[in-house]
Amino acid sequence: MANPTPAQLHAYIAAGLGCDHLDVQGDGQHFYATIVSPEFDGLPRVRRHQRVYAALGERMREEIHALSMKTLTPAEWAAQGPAAALQAPAEHRH
């Protein structure tokens, strides 16, 4: 099975979760995502991550080796601005 691309992971998340902003970076095995969704409003971080995992479904077990994510509500995103984006460590950027 081929490793998914950041664009594919972006599409998977967007299909299962209403996002105001979604940025996915990665190398096919390790991914870094900043996800802004009104669905996160009132949820603690663990529940937000579970919501993303639910959107990814079985892909999380079968295709995606590692996913680091920053999950924000639209209000949190507006307060933090673009600096809130989760960046891949320099050694993983391509």
Side-chain angles (χ1 to χ4, degrees), residues 1-13 22-33 56 59 63-67:
M1 179 180 307
N3 290 334
T5 66
Q8 288 172 314
L9 196 65
H10 185 285
Y12 299 155
I13 294 170
L22 177 57
D23 178 55
V24 180
Q25 300 175 31
D27 61 9
Q29 292 188 354
H30 300 90
F31 293 95
Y32 309 89
L56 292 169
R59 292 180 183 99
E63 299 175 36
I64 301 164
H65 177 68
L67 172 62

Side-chain angles (χ1 to χ4, degrees), residues 7-93:
Q8 288 172 314
L9 196 65
H10 185 285
Y12 299 155
I13 294 170
L17 181 68
C19 299
D20 286 4
H21 174 84
L22 177 57
D23 178 55
V24 180
Q25 300 175 31
D27 61 9
Q29 292 188 354
H30 300 90
F31 293 95
Y32 309 89
T34 301
I35 307 162
V36 180
S37 174
E39 293 184 37
F40 297 149
D41 195 38
L43 296 179
R45 185 173 55 154
V46 170
R47 292 286 300 132
R48 293 175 185 197
H49 287 199
Q50 289 171 339
R51 184 65 191 88
V52 175
Y53 296 143
L56 292 169
E58 288 299 309
R59 292 180 183 99
M60 200 58 217
R61 259 185 264 175
E62 298 172 2
E63 299 175 36
I64 301 164
H65 177 68
L67 172 62
S68 296
M69 65 182 113
K70 186 162 197 173
T71 53
L72 302 165
T73 66
E76 291 166 343
W77 175 252
Q80 295 181 24
L86 180 64
Q87 294 293 319
E91 67 270 13
H92 283 75
R93 290 189 192 151

